[in-house]
Each structure stands twice: as structure tokens, then as C-alpha cells.
Amino acid sequence: MSADKTFYITTPIYYVNDKPHIGHAYTTIACDVMARFKRQDGYDVRFLSGTDEHGEKVAKSAAAAGKSVQAFCDENAQKFRDLVKTLNASNDDFIRTTEPRHITACQALWTTLEENGQIYLGNYAGWYSIRDEAFYGEDETRMEGAQRVGPTGAPVEWVQEPSYFFKLSEWGDKLLAYYDKHPDFILPHTRRNEVASFIRQGLTDLSVSRTSFDWGVPVPGNPNHVMYVWIDALTNYITALGYPDTEAALYRQFWPSAHHIIGKDILRFHAVYWPAFLMAAGLDVPERVFAHGWWTNEGQKISKSLGNVIDPLQLIETYGLDQTRYFLMREISFGGDGDFSPRAMVQRINSDLANDFGNLAQRILSMIAKNCGGVVPAPGPQTADDTTLLNAPLAALGDMRAAMDAQQIHFSLNRLFEVVGEANKYVDTQAPWALKKTDPARMESVLYTVAETVRRLAILAQPVMPGSMARMLDLVASAPGERSFAHVDGAFAIKPGTVLPAPQGIFPRYVEKASEPTA
Ligand code: ME8
């Protein structure tokens, strides 16, 4: 097993035949939040994202665009690199499956599987959907007019060709035994049950090569074949650690501490094929596969044909980056499906961020500016209420850690915002504006207590809203090197006498403009 404080987290690698949409942004942000959380908690973190560039679909899209496949991939991969940057994702690496390091890794894995007797040459015939990149059994297809379609409604065609097969049928019992022994390998648990029942129906050998197109990784020793997309795609997670050199520093440190965060539609590939490939190659199985749910747009399934695809860049432009990050992480429980609507977004921005969190900081820092000359006042003796509030962020951190270990990002945020609520209640009941006249020394204690609570809360909220929280921490003069979870502790509390910068609002209220685009 991996060393204690090591954490490897991956997004799926994104297909380059499409432009980035909310699904890509969602997974990337979730991974970034987890990566940042673990880094702030003292872990060595490796965070990987990238692009999936091979396969017939990409080759056809390039042809349709009148471009060479490589030029098409370069152009589109750049859009994903740009997206990751725009999202302020802190990934350590960005892998493209067309890179030489990846071709080497795929071919090495293939050769090992072949040497282990896990791959054989046979013939494949079946109903194939280019759009889904999947073969379907006869009973999974139906006629729609003159066209046969698969279960997703995508057209299928009869394909017969020589193909290499991976002996997936041998791995069913071993996979089930693995799930039993590692009950949290697949999360959420309902998803694990779905995967297990899929396996219990019986696994058939898996076609892992194609001769009908050539945009892929050549099969070692038989270049008429290219690897079929899943063996190629999944290997990216170890390519990026230096595989096939299993003695490489990154591989030794980060495999198998991997947490693969994916959409529910690609769970089977990650929870069945991937561990089977790895076991068959004598490699360790990752620690976690977590399948998140899907977003709908105002109750409707998102699809190009409906024209309701949500552009993440547009969201960020309209609502702000951290506001978008916060909304996507808070609005739905990670693992479940959820619905996007501008109304819900504005509600979160104005109520949670502007009214609750932003205003808490703003009103207390303005009072310090006005009544204490912008200098942190010295607190008097602590009351029970002061102690309770000051301890609340640390208590929340314990719960947040447990939640994040199970990828329950929304729960972690709920817990954090409970403390924001407690802090606002404290301000309301202590009423420092009234104390100004009756008991100025106590007013100073209250202002100090809230400013210090804001410091602690801002540290905790950084993984989700890194830019805004950096600004909030600047406002309470928190030293840049004292912003990790270890610094939530009272030993790093704001020092009385510290001169604070002029307070500035962090989260403006969102005011609908007359001609607002909806997303
Ligand atoms: O599947 N809501 O790439 P991809 C939430 N290349 N998530 C969504 C979504 C939505 N409406 N629509 C799509 C691939 N997604 C493969 C992965 S990994 C070795 C290979 C998610 O670009 C979807 O669930 O089609 C998937 O996890 C991700 O977007 C990327 O999809």
C-alpha cells in the first residue's frame, strides 16, 4: 500500500472531439478541490488531467473539420489545457495520449499482458457504435426506421474483423473478491452494487484492438492493429507516473494511492476493465474509483441536439470563477445527479457567499477599520461564547477531513457553512455596534474573535475558492506561509496590534442585468 500521506488524484482524460463543457469543468474542479484539500493537510499530492486523443471518432471529427488528425488534436487539446488553467486547477501534469511516453507505456502494458497469457488473437463481429465507441449485443439494439441503433440511440453498424482479446472472462471472481476485501474501492456504494451485479451476469472476453482504423497505438509485433481505445485511455494514469519504469520516483511514490474521479457513464471501464488489466499485468489496483453524477440544465438532459450545452467559460465570465466552483461543489451531493439553473446559481452567490460569508468578513473588518484605526484590537478575557466560536472551525475541520476522504465535498462545505452561520449568529447576539457605547473593551474582544474566526474559515474554504480566500486571508494579514490546515490552530492566531489593509468586499451580490445570457 501507499505511504500514509500520499495522494494521487486523476480526472478522466477528455475526448478532444468536442469542446469543453460543464461535465469536464465539474470533474476537474472536484479533483482540484480534493488535491488542494490534501495539500493543505500536509499530503504529498499528485494531480493529473489530460486528453484522450485516439480512436475512430477523433479521426472522423478531424476529417469532417478538414484537418490532419494531429493538427486537430493539438488544437483541441489546447482548449482543455486552457480550460484547466481558467478553472485555476492545480494539476501537476497534463497528459496527452498521443505523447511518446504514453505510446511506450501502452505497448509495455500490452506486452506484459501478452507475456502473461492474457491476450490472444481472434475475430470480432458485432454491432458497433462509433459514437459510443462500444460494441452491443443483438438484444441491445433496435431498429429506428431503416437504421439499427444501440441502447443510447446511436447508430450501430455490423463490424467483423480480426481482433485481439483480453481474457476478461477469467477475472470476474477475482474482481468480486477484490470489491469484498476493499469495500470502498468503488464509491458511492450504490455504484459498487451495480458493478458487482454486472459482473455476476458473467464477463466475456474484451476486444482490445482494431484493424478498421489506424489512429491509435500500434499493437507491438502486429502494426495492422491499433489498440482499442479503453486499454489505451486507462493506461494514462500510470504513464504519467513513469510506467513502464515501476522504479520511477513518481510511480514508487504515488502508485497505487490513486483516486480516479469519473462520471458515472465510464464507471464500468474504470471499476472492471482497469483493475482486471492491472491485476493481469501483476500491478497494484488503485485505491478508489469514485463516480459522480450528471448535471441537467433546468431539468433537461444536456445534449448538443437540444442546444442546451453549458459552456463553463461563459459561466465563469457571468458569475465569477470561485462563485462557479462553489456552486458546482455545493449545489449537489457529489455522487448524485443535479440540476443547473441561473436562479439556483444566483441564490447561492447572493445568499451563501455575499450575505453570509462575505458580509461576515466585511462588516467585522469595516468595524475594525472604523473603530480601531484598522489595527487588530487586543481581546480581553474569553467568554464561553468566544471559545465556542473560536473552536468551531477546528471541530469542523475534523468532519471535513472525514467527508473529503469519502469524496463528500458537499458535506464538507455544508459543515464549513454551519460555522459561517454560527459566526453570524455570534455577531448578531454580541452586537458589537451596541457595545461600542456600553463596553468598548468587550467590543474589541468580539471584533477580535470574529476576525480570527474569519481567518480560520478562510483557510478552510481555500480548496474550493482559492482566489477569493487568498484575498480574504490578505485582509486579515495572514502570512502567506501560514495558510495550511495546521495553521487553523490558535498558535497562529492574528496578533493584536497588526495593521490590516483597508477592507474590501470579496463576494459582491449578483445583480441580474437586463439582457443576461442564461448560462
Ligand atoms: O469519457 N454532467 O471523455 P469525455 C456531469 N475519454 N459530467 C458529465 C456530463 C454532465 N452533463 N457530461 C459528461 C471520456 N460528463 C473518456 C474518458 S478516462 C480513461 C477516458 C463527464 O470527454 C463524463 O461523465 O466524453 C466523463 O467523466 C467526463 O465528462 C469526460 O467525458
Side-chain angles (χ1 to χ4, degrees):
M1 282 312 283
S2 51
D4 243 352
K5 288 216 140 189
T6 302
F7 186 75
Y8 179 36
I9 187 156
T10 65
T11 72
I13 44 171
Y14 303 124
Y15 284 132
V16 287
N17 58 324
D18 210 349
K19 56 176 210 164
H21 56 63
I22 194 170
H24 303 122
Y26 184 51
T27 326
T28 306
I29 292 169
C31 289
D32 186 53
V33 170
M34 291 184 250
R36 287 176 184 273
F37 191 96
K38 288 291 184 186
R39 277 193 211 103
Q40 272 190 232
D41 213 11
Y43 281 69
D44 277 334
V45 171
R46 190 87 189 158
F47 170 19
L48 175 71
S49 188
T51 42
D52 192 354
E53 305 189 7
H54 289 132
E56 193 172 13
K57 211 156 48 167
V58 172
K60 288 202 167 171
S61 300
K67 296 191 171 136
S68 80
V69 201
Q70 190 61 54
F72 178 83
C73 287
D74 291 348
E75 215 171 275
N76 284 291
Q78 190 56 42
K79 288 185 194 151
F80 284 92
R81 261 188 215 275
D82 293 345
L83 173 76
V84 162
K85 229 185 178 145
T86 308
L87 296 173
N88 195 9
S90 59
N91 53 307
D92 301 286
D93 194 355
F94 186 97
I95 189 162
R96 297 182 55 189
T97 54
T98 46
E99 289 173 54
R101 60 173 172 163
H102 184 62
I103 315 287
T104 305
C106 289
Q107 292 182 331
L109 182 67
W110 181 286
T111 304
T112 306
L113 291 172
E114 211 168 22
E115 282 167 4
N116 292 355
Q118 293 292 323
I119 285 182
Y120 64 91
L121 186 60
N123 265 301
Y124 197 89
W127 292 106
Y128 181 67
S129 155
I130 296 181
R131 199 164 95 193
D132 300 344
E133 286 186 330
F135 273 96
Y136 295 112
E138 183 88 26
D139 53 340
E140 290 178 287
T141 67
R142 61 179 195 279
M143 293 306 289
E144 247 181 41
Q147 175 69 58
R148 188 176 287 273
V149 297
T152 59
V156 292
E157 53 190 277
W158 185 253
V159 171
Q160 181 160 10
E161 59 180 45
S163 169
Y164 285 94
F165 284 82
F166 170 73
K167 290 183 183 168
L168 186 64
S169 59
E170 289 185 356
W171 290 93
D173 289 342
K174 292 179 194 101
L175 286 166
L176 290 171
Y178 188 85
Y179 303 162
D180 277 346
K181 218 168 148 207
H182 303 88
D184 294 335
F185 169 58
I186 303 169
L187 287 183
H189 286 134
T190 48
R191 298 271 170 223
R192 183 192 60 199
N193 299 340
E194 280 170 30
V195 172
S197 66
F198 165 73
I199 292 180
R200 277 194 209 98
Q201 286 164 24
L203 293 175
T204 51
D205 289 349
L206 187 69
S207 167
V208 288
S209 78
R210 288 288 175 275
T211 53
S212 52
F213 60 90
D214 62 3
W215 184 243
V217 181
V219 164
N222 192 350
N224 287 340
H225 289 251
V226 292
M227 291 179 201
Y228 174 55
V229 69
W230 281 103
I231 204 167
D232 165 356
L234 291 161
T235 304
N236 92 85
Y237 300 130
I238 51 176
T239 303
L241 297 182
Y243 182 83
D245 180 5
T246 52
E247 292 303 312
L250 287 176
Y251 191 94
R252 283 174 60 99
Q253 188 180 6
F254 291 104
W255 196 260
S257 74
H259 292 67
H260 299 313
I261 311 300
I262 53 165
K264 62 183 181 181
D265 54 321
I266 51 175
L267 177 60
R268 193 180 290 180
F269 310 115
H270 284 78
V272 180
Y273 300 179
W274 183 223
F277 294 155
L278 289 166
M279 288 181 194
L283 299 171
D284 289 329
V285 171
E287 194 167 317
R288 170 81 34 87
V289 174
F290 187 98
H292 67 66
W294 273 42
W295 286 88
T296 49
N297 188 354
E298 305 221 50
Q300 276 196 314
K301 190 176 163 16
I302 296 175
S303 85
K304 270 203 239 172
S305 49
L306 286 174
N308 64 350
V309 175
I310 301 172
D311 176 356
L313 301 178
Q314 181 71 61
L315 280 188
I316 292 167
E317 205 179 300
T318 308
Y319 301 106
L321 172 60
D322 281 352
Q323 285 83 349
T324 302
R325 288 173 61 110
Y326 173 75
F327 173 81
L328 294 177
M329 294 300 105
R330 179 83 195 270
E331 184 68 4
I332 60 174
S333 53
F334 199 60
D337 294 329
D339 189 42
F340 174 85
S341 73
R343 205 176 343 95
M345 176 76 121
V346 171
Q347 164 73 19
R348 285 276 175 211
I349 292 173
N350 287 349
S351 136
D352 300 5
L353 297 182
N355 282 1
D356 293 350
F357 200 8
N359 200 33
L360 173 72
Q362 179 68 11
R363 60 178 173 163
I364 248 45
L365 295 177
S366 304
M367 282 196 77
I368 294 178
K370 270 194 211 130
N371 303 300
C372 314
V375 174
V376 176
Q382 258 183 26
T383 66
D385 285 348
D386 302 349
T387 312
T388 304
L389 182 63
L390 285 167
N391 287 341
L394 209 53
L397 175 59
D399 296 338
M400 290 169 75
R401 274 197 186 107
M404 292 298 267
D405 278 339
Q407 286 71 52
Q408 297 297 287
I409 303 174
H410 61 288
F411 182 82
S412 168
L413 275 173
N414 288 348
R415 190 66 186 83
L416 176 73
F417 272 77
E418 259 174 43
V419 183
V420 171
E422 283 172 43
N424 275 315
K425 219 157 135 205
Y426 171 93
V427 175
D428 291 343
T429 43
Q430 301 291 327
W433 46 87
L435 291 170
K436 190 174 158 184
K437 292 197 188 97
T438 56
D439 189 350
R442 178 64 195 150
M443 174 198 74
E444 292 193 337
S445 285
V446 169
L447 294 183
Y448 179 87
T449 303
V450 181
E452 172 56 12
T453 304
V454 165
R455 184 189 74 86
R456 296 178 188 192
L457 288 170
I459 289 179
L460 296 184
Q462 282 177 113
V464 177
M465 301 180 284
S468 317
M469 291 303 102
R471 292 209 304 283
M472 196 179 273
L473 286 165
D474 289 344
L475 292 180
V476 292
S478 150
E482 294 186 355
R483 296 180 177 188
S484 72
F485 292 148
H487 302 110
V488 172
D489 194 88
F492 301 90
I494 309 182
K495 299 208 175 25
T498 306
V499 179
L500 298 183
Q504 278 174 348
I506 301 286
F507 296 118
R509 278 185 74 78
Y510 182 85
V511 184
E512 202 101 11
K513 295 174 198 84
S515 59
E516 198 68 274
T518 47

